[in-house]
């Protein structure tokens, strides 16, 4: 059994990690760290855990939370993971960080977008960007994972086959993403207040949402050239789910079935990626509560544009699920163990 | 491995059975019967099953659907199960019927409330009312289960301890229930049309909802006297979940902690019933996608009334989950196998 | 033109007053008082007012807000209205208080339920409980209105005809109310956080919600005897709307059409009360954004119980709309002026 | 008083016309035509009209519906308006058609996209495309209005200033639109079934939604060149509201405040268009139940792209409201009469 601790266990991403790990046949929860709820039982904070996980939350600073674990998941606001990760690694344990601290290779870029001190260059070099399907080999041997953001996950998976095959004009990538409200976390704010959000849609983060450099870094690596994108996130009135509509321009006219074939081959054998046949497009509901990313493709010959639509559950493949998928790899387990769920529907 | 078939597999209750059975470690799906979608793959009807269950739906009349199974779940409109059940039982297989046909012991009552032909008295006598926690001994040895309705489940579990202990005035039971929209099924109708239901609440079925005789029959058996109740269902704008608020009058003043203790003892060791401590009340969200029934209790000494609040997921404990719980018992499996899930939250 | 000021103008009830008054042909907004947003323009706080009301909010303590007005609406947390009202009345202006301070005639009851200092007995005696349809004569000549709470409005209007006619057993009144989330106001809190409230229903305030004494006081006045009720509020996932299901026991068997006739006569000529014919029941959506209260009635001869179902928009008839209706009366205007709207549907 | 009839009065767009006209001080409802509900009272079909409009619906073929009217609104499925319009015009009455029949100037384009017979060239030449703010002079003198679709309205208003000023590269226009469910109408279908739509987002109509040629035709007229666009509609879980995110590429670098100034000047004095200041972006909730279109602008100098975000209420400015705005103009009334409402909020 792998012993896992979660720091930031009472936020939504933290809760989702705890939820998945509690049903994982090869994992035992070692410790739960929570700034806000230290000293209280987990099932008091989240009553759906009653009789399932009544363990007491500890302060994130409590050394036991780390000492008892083989792997520590960090689900903390950005800026807090850096020193913690160093300490955990020094104890010979593995770290999976769901925050932004280790996602950007460049300290300068991190400073520019987050207005905060980046981790040391040494630590950054240890970190592997944890987009499971694309960085599998490096994830398996890493002890520090920078788990991707939800938006970047939905976008990178949607564009990877095109960029690897150098099919599209990399100067023309427009990404219009829509997210459920849980992505904003459990911290109360007017922007997540029921009566403000219900029956409403808005853009936010314009023109420079913080996930942009992460998206551009990974797309540039895939495409082997410097890529800039337009990225516009929207908030829509639902709790979970994320859909990204990605507009691209192939260098030459394509046949939609060839592109679908390309995607199917690229993601062949992937347990969590489903490429849809021609004329079918994904719904977020099809992946709700699962680690799946469904991808649909549409070619508009009138305009010469290829549109990619991807959906994920922002808290699963966009956060906790991918983190556990990475943990499975790091510990040599079957990649889908604890994650082979069917979407809750309707 | 148990081989299970589902007739009515493409309705919401049928889908939930298929979903649970697909993740059940000791079950194999033998056949899927669907009037509307015979000949089409299950994942075409429900794309969240893509790559998971692509099996083709057959006509419910196709003899193979039954022949291949050890147990057949019937998730059909009322009136269709009677002859089917007889046929399946004759083949030495077990039947779990999620419809209303076998729930009422009295043919006369069935006719009065459903305006339809009841099953034969012989078949009715074979049927066991499948409220798992209360009829466990009979369920284990039965081959024909009348799986309870969602409203009755939420109500019977909430009142059983009081009725068994004969604590309350049985002439004073007022039940005010609230249900999510999935309870109305997948059949399109103006009453389930998004723009009509969203941002709305209404009562329906007044003054004689069809679940009333089923509720009264089971409460009368528990209380060992003839019990009549006021039962008012409401439709609220959410997909899954059911909350019943039950108003009762104890024969004498009580202490709330004694009543809570009574419930906790009554449901001791039950894997799916959680009795809440004083001052805590259940949310439907706490049981979403699980087979749990959470129960809260409130004593109002000003009026001498004891209020019981119960929540279930209408499609799980209120339908498919309880059906699988019953199947587990009928086949001598651990009762919670395939059902030990944690609520999807938030 | 009547000059009206609103203190607490940036809460939801305050906003609804401002919204209604801005479209009222005989009213001019004199001042907007807001603790949180003093110094900011109203359309900055509520961008749907852009180009419509860009007036700057002032501190509620700013004497001008009151000095400029003929009538002042107070939409403040309880406990703040008492001294303000006194001051405003002394300046010869009228006060309509949407808080709880003046609703309870008894200082002792106020203290017991609100754990706060009640207004002086003198002020309390000046205050008229502003349930428009029932207290019309007193409202017209009053200068201090205690505007009813949303729950009490939906309940008192539903029971008044029965109590006036002394038809029901007053010891048997069970009220099960369901409210949209806007009733909890604009102050952020976990209990109004989108991801917690969406797809959820819960009870709250058990066993002693603060609206109980207000309900009992007014029902007792109507029935001319001491009445106690069971009252259970629920929160459901919608923004606006309130439905109360009220269970009563007539002293003798009744005919439903007689009772409907009684209600229709009782509310004859009322512009905002609609009594539904037999077999029809109200939806909250039918009154959304209007000052209407729709009432449906159901007689269950099996149990001898009469069920009354009422719906209102909690922010309109349950707060701001009724306040303006009262203002209209106090100033000798047509009662429905500025309020004759048709529900936004769907 | 203007006498107005509505054919298709019981669909959602028809209902919204009836709702607005019922509160319009200069209009009297002459007739209500409904295929599905002929012979039933309007308030039976839509109980929120109880005591407000109990008029009986007639067959759309009933000559009285037209004969009694000065103006007839057609809210019918496409293909039905052509012969009706001709007949109404011959009687010397005005027609405002909310369907697609008269929107496309070219019969060939209509046939290609709608696979149906277009109106005669003669009738098409009479029809004026009713985008109120842009075609005011022609609307005023027209007797046949082709009222724009909801998507086109939100898009054309967002792009008009840029196209008139020839600032952007017309080969680079990407439109990503999100609509509430009421846009799909009142006809029941699985795609509007509550449990399927709630907590879900999907694209639809790819790659050739029928609103595309209408959008391109009007943008081409504005830009005075042949314009093709990428247009992708999405369905999101809310009843009313539409947000379009439009990606453009200015021919040269711009200053955002210059562009905002351009828009403010362009829409100066428009009662229903609100251009937001720098850094503010519209929410659909800000225009709910109003005839407003709010526009926000964002310049991303990193990519050289200008993003326009527009919101409307799909049933008001996107359908019934704009229709009444056009009627006001056609009859020489103040343009905002009957439409000067403040958004219902929250």
């Amino acid at each position: 059994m792998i012993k896992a601790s979660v720091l930031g266990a009472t936020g939504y991403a933290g809760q989702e990690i705890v939820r998945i790990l509690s049903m994982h046949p090869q994992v035992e929860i070692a410790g739960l760290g929570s700034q806000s709820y230290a000293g209280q039982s987990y099932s008091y904070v989240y009553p759906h855990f009653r009789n399932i996980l009544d363990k007491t939350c500890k302060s994130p600073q409590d050394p036991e939370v780390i000492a008892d674990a083989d792997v520590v998941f960090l689900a903390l606001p950005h800026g807090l993971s850096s020193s913690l990760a160093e300490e955990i690694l020094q104890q010979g344990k593995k770290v999976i960080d769901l925050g932004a601290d280790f996602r950007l290779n460049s300290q300068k870029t991190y400073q520019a977008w987050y207005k905060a001190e980046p981790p040391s260059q040494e630590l950054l070099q240890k970190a592997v960007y944890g987009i499971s399907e694309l960085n599998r080999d490096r994830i398996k041997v890493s002890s520090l994972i920078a788990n991707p953001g939800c938006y970047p996950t939905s976008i990178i998976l949607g564009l990877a086959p095109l960029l690897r095959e150098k099919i599209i004009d990399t100067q023309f990538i427009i990404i219009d993403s829509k997210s459920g409200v849980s992505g904003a976390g459990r911290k109360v704010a007017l922007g997540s207040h029921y009566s403000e959000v219900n029956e409403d849609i808005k853009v936010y983060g314009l023109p420079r949402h913080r996930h942009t450099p992460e998206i551009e870094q990974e797309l540039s690596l895939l495409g082997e050239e410097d890529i800039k994108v337009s990225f516009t996130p929207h908030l829509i009135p639902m709790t979970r789910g994320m859909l990204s509509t990605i507009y691209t321009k192939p260098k030459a006219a394509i046949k939609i079935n060839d592109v679908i074939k390309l995607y199917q081959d690229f993601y062949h054998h992937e347990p969590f990626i489903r490429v849809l046949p021609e004329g079918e497009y994904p719904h977020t509901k099809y992946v709700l509560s699962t680690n799946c990313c469904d991808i649909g493709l549409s070619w508009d010959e009138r305009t010469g544009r290829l549109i990619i639509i991807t959906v994920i559950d922002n808290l699963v493949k966009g956060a906790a699920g991918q983190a556990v998928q990475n943990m499975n790899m790091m510990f040599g387990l079957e990649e889908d163990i604890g994650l082979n769920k069917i979407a809750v529907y309707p």
Side-chain angles (χ1 to χ4, degrees), chain A:
Chain A
M1 297 291 279
I2 300 162
K3 287 184 203 136
S5 284
V6 183
L7 297 191
T10 55
Y12 285 152
Q15 182 272 151
E16 189 69 7
I17 300 171
V18 173
R19 202 176 75 83
I20 294 172
L21 294 182
S22 297
M23 295 188 283
H24 192 295
Q26 312 241 15
V27 174
E28 184 183 310
I29 305 271
L32 301 166
S34 168
Q35 199 69 52
S36 322
Y37 295 101
Q40 294 185 320
S41 90
Y42 200 67
S43 61
Y44 171 83
V45 182
Y46 282 117
H48 60 293
F49 275 92
R50 189 184 302 272
N51 296 359
I52 295 166
L53 185 64
D54 298 312
K55 204 177 183 75
T56 303
C57 297
K58 293 184 177 168
S59 160
Q61 284 77 41
D62 187 325
E64 280 186 20
V65 180
I66 294 167
D68 293 350
D70 302 316
V71 57
V72 180
F73 291 85
L74 305 178
L76 303 166
H78 73 84
L80 300 181
S81 297
S82 186
S83 58
L84 267 167
E86 191 148 22
E87 193 185 322
I88 300 166
L89 291 172
Q90 277 167 0
Q91 296 184 31
K93 295 148 192 306
K94 295 178 199 296
V95 175
I96 300 173
D97 181 29
L98 282 86
D101 292 18
F102 298 105
R103 291 180 192 155
L104 298 181
N105 302 330
S106 152
Q107 292 183 314
K108 220 171 91 186
T109 309
Y110 183 88
Q111 274 170 319
W113 288 78
Y114 287 89
K115 315 289 178 205
E117 202 54 38
S120 71
Q121 198 58 48
E122 199 194 327
L123 259 187
L124 282 182
Q125 276 166 359
K126 276 193 191 150
V128 172
Y129 189 74
I131 187 105
S132 314
E133 285 75 10
L134 302 178
N135 293 346
R136 195 168 270 132
D137 292 344
R138 295 170 58 217
I139 292 167
K140 282 181 177 170
V141 297
S142 172
S143 55
L144 173 57
I145 298 296
N147 213 62
C150 46
Y151 287 118
T153 296
S154 76
I155 293 160
I156 296 164
L157 291 173
L159 283 168
L162 297 178
L163 292 173
R164 281 270 174 86
E165 293 297 316
K166 303 195 191 304
I167 289 170
I168 57 168
D169 173 359
T170 55
Q171 295 319 299
F172 186 111
I173 299 178
I174 315 274
I175 304 156
D176 192 284
S177 295
K178 299 88 178 171
S179 175
V181 183
S182 63
R186 205 186 197 205
K187 192 154 186 292
V188 299
L190 199 57
S192 311
H193 197 57
Y194 183 86
S195 302
E196 301 285 320
V197 173
N198 187 36
E199 289 289 293
D200 189 36
I201 170 170
K202 64 167 180 179
V203 295
Y204 68 103
L206 273 182
R208 302 189 63 172
H209 187 279
R210 280 174 172 172
H211 279 175
T212 309
E214 181 184 341
I215 295 163
E216 292 182 343
Q217 166 185 290
E218 295 302 312
L219 297 186
S220 297
L221 286 169
L222 282 162
E224 295 175 306
E225 59 178 309
D226 191 40
I227 294 179
K228 282 200 167 40
V229 302
S230 290
F231 165 59
T232 308
H234 299 73
L235 195 73
I236 63 172
M238 62 187 205
T239 301
R240 282 180 179 230
M242 171 169 289
L243 182 145
S244 289
T245 312
I246 310 171
Y247 300 86
T248 65
K249 198 167 181 57
K251 291 174 185 165
I254 53 117
K255 287 195 182 128
I256 186 63
N257 277 320
D258 292 345
V259 178
I260 290 173
K261 179 75 168 44
L262 164 69
Y263 272 70
Q264 285 172 336
D265 291 346
F266 190 91
Y267 289 124
H268 195 49
H269 296 313
E270 287 298 343
F272 299 119
I273 314 284
R274 301 188 292 197
V275 179
L276 276 58
E278 193 188 345
E280 295 188 31
Y281 302 103
H283 293 219
T284 53
K285 229 174 162 63
Y286 296 166
V287 299
L288 187 81
S289 76
T290 78
N291 200 46
C292 286
C293 174
D294 282 11
I295 304 176
L297 294 148
S298 173
W299 164 244
D300 184 2
E301 57 179 7
R302 293 174 58 258
T303 57
R305 286 169 196 153
L306 173 67
I307 304 175
I308 306 108
I309 302 110
T310 70
V311 296
I312 58 171
D313 182 320
N314 56 305
L315 289 177
V316 189
K317 186 62 180 172
Q322 184 153 249
V324 172
Q325 185 180 359
N326 289 333
M327 182 204 76
N328 285 345
M329 286 195 240
M330 293 161 86
F331 284 87
L333 305 178
E334 290 293 308
E335 199 168 318
D336 67 345
I337 197 164
L339 295 167
N340 45 359
K341 302 289 185 287
I342 304 172
V344 173
Y345 194 97

